[in-house]
Amino acid sequence: MPPVNDQFERTIVAPAICAGVGVHTGRRVRLAIRPAAPGAGITFVRTDVRDRDNRIPVSGEAVVDARLNTMIENAAGVRLSTIEHLMAAFAALGVSNAVVEVDGPELPILDGSALPFVQLLDRAGFRGQDAFQRVIEILEPIRVEEGDKSAALLPCDRYEMRFEIDFPTPVIGNQVVDFVVDERTFRHEIMAARTFGFAHEVEALRQAGLARGGSLENAVVIDGDVILNPGGLRMEREFVRHKALDAIGDLYVLGAPLLGRYEGVKAGHALNNQLVRALLANPQAWRIVTRAPELALAC
């Protein structure tokens, strides 16, 4: 695929359609991604909801639950969960505008990574639009903490990310990734990293009515010091790479790519959304710039 031209907004050429099960509901859902006009942003539509407004525009404020995944809700109370992997694919591939139709309360988990969404978007094709790309430039550090977990956004002349995790099992241990967030790096190092969990946690979630669609087909499952998946891991440090994937998707609810550096330590969806809200609450810490061919214009 040709590289993203980050000077202009981008959408897809043709509808992209797939189906799968939700990792928590276990319900089979159909998903269709459609092109959208310049400036429209990303909007999800619950096509199974017909008695009220079923459109959910993505924004930092739309996130209402981020304990196990990223869930968004509109003013009519219509919710949709597990958007983060598709949002990460949109962010990395430079998709500014799209309408995503889904006929259930949760996006399909597919293989637990962003790879199937990238393949879906690649088949649909990409089209540049007649609007300069808006970028969020970080001007002052923003940081949130919760115990030994933290997430921060720092000024930087490009979009960078560092993520660190530490689990008391030799299967994971301490892992760090530090990279430039761009399409090439995402495709080669991040997009195929799968979500993961521990066998005892999966059982507890199922008893609580969650993780009904989870399996070794869509998650890396660890039992003690053993990885249960027959094929093992897809790549070195797959666990921390997936956490970085989640962060890319969680931050893209801001509606534009970042010009800044994200640093996360043991952070998850909830802390990432706290960081998003902290940024939005501090307008002096950021500004919107427009990527024109020869210059960046402050808006």
Side-chain angles (χ1 to χ4, degrees), residues 124-142:
F126 304 98
R127 175 169 57 85
Q129 298 181 285
D130 189 19
F132 291 130
Q133 176 63 62
R134 298 162 67 250
V135 179
I136 297 171
E137 181 182 9
I138 305 302
L139 302 176
E140 298 178 6
I142 295 289

Side-chain angles (χ1 to χ4, degrees), residues 39 77-78 107 186 208 295:
V78 176
L107 262 63
F186 188 80
L295 70 165

Side-chain angles (χ1 to χ4, degrees), residues 21-58:
V21 299
V23 67
H24 289 298
T25 63
R27 175 174 167 179
R28 187 166 180 82
V29 291
R30 181 178 180 274
L31 177 144
I33 308 169
R34 304 188 187 280
I42 308 297
T43 298
F44 288 89
V45 181
R46 282 279 305 273
T47 57
D48 59 317
V49 175
R50 298 186 178 89
D51 61 343
R52 52 194 154 144
D53 181 15
N54 63 0
R55 297 176 63 85
I56 316 172
V58 172

Side-chain angles (χ1 to χ4, degrees), residues 235-280:
M235 64 190 76
E236 181 188 8
R237 293 172 292 158
E238 183 171 358
F239 303 103
V240 72
R241 293 179 196 276
H242 184 81
K243 298 292 284 186
L245 187 161
D246 280 344
I248 293 170
D250 289 342
L251 294 174
Y252 202 49
V253 301
L254 286 163
L258 292 173
L259 192 60
R261 178 175 172 85
Y262 168 92
E263 295 186 350
V265 178
K266 304 181 182 180
H269 301 298
L271 206 59
N272 289 337
N273 189 246
Q274 287 182 38
L275 182 64
V276 165
R277 290 175 181 269
L279 181 70
L280 294 175

Side-chain angles (χ1 to χ4, degrees), residues 285-297:
W286 58 281
R287 66 172 180 170
I288 296 289
V289 296
T290 300
R291 287 276 177 85
E294 300 288 335
L295 70 165
L297 303 173

Side-chain angles (χ1 to χ4, degrees), residues 2 6 47 102 108 123 142 182 188 190 204 222 224 250-251 275 284 296:
D6 64 1
T47 57
V102 58
R123 288 195 295 270
I142 295 289
D182 58 21
H188 291 163
I190 303 297
I222 303 156
D250 289 342
L251 294 174
L275 182 64
Q284 78 283 353

Side-chain angles (χ1 to χ4, degrees), residues 59-272:
S59 69
E61 296 88 347
V63 177
V64 292
D65 193 335
R67 288 170 295 177
L68 298 174
N69 56 66
T70 298
M71 177 187 290
I72 54 175
E73 181 181 44
N74 67 9
V78 176
R79 292 186 166 193
L80 182 68
S81 63
T82 320
I83 67 167
E84 58 271 13
H85 300 167
L86 177 56
M87 290 297 293
F90 282 152
L93 274 57
V95 176
S96 316
N97 307 300
V99 174
V100 184
E101 300 172 349
V102 58
D103 64 355
E106 182 180 21
L107 262 63
I109 191 64
L110 302 179
D111 76 344
S113 77
L115 173 60
F117 289 122
V118 170
Q119 294 171 330
L120 191 67
L121 294 168
D122 282 347
R123 288 195 295 270
F126 304 98
R127 175 169 57 85
Q129 298 181 285
D130 189 19
F132 291 130
Q133 176 63 62
R134 298 162 67 250
V135 179
I136 297 171
E137 181 182 9
I138 305 302
L139 302 176
E140 298 178 6
I142 295 289
R143 182 181 180 87
V144 293
E145 297 181 349
E146 190 176 278
D148 62 348
K149 304 174 183 178
S150 66
L153 285 171
L154 309 170
C156 188
D157 60 2
R158 58 185 183 178
Y159 189 5
E160 296 181 352
M161 179 169 287
R162 181 187 188 278
F163 212 110
E164 179 177 357
I165 60 173
D166 198 345
F167 285 85
T169 168
V171 174
I172 304 178
N174 182 272
Q175 297 186 3
V176 178
V177 286
D178 197 328
F179 60 99
V180 177
V181 183
D182 58 21
E183 181 178 3
R184 182 183 181 282
T185 303
F186 188 80
R187 287 181 180 274
H188 291 163
E189 301 180 19
I190 303 297
M191 71 177 183
R194 295 162 294 174
T195 190
F196 62 94
F198 296 88
H200 67 278
E201 293 178 346
V202 171
E203 185 55 37
L205 286 170
R206 284 182 175 161
Q207 300 237 343
L210 300 170
R212 292 174 177 173
S215 73
L216 297 179
E217 299 298 316
N218 53 43
V220 178
V221 180
I222 303 156
D223 188 5
D225 295 339
V226 177
I227 294 173
L228 299 183
N229 304 65
L233 298 178
R234 287 179 172 175
M235 64 190 76
E236 181 188 8
R237 293 172 292 158
E238 183 171 358
F239 303 103
V240 72
R241 293 179 196 276
H242 184 81
K243 298 292 284 186
L245 187 161
D246 280 344
I248 293 170
D250 289 342
L251 294 174
Y252 202 49
V253 301
L254 286 163
L258 292 173
L259 192 60
R261 178 175 172 85
Y262 168 92
E263 295 186 350
V265 178
K266 304 181 182 180
H269 301 298
L271 206 59
N272 289 337

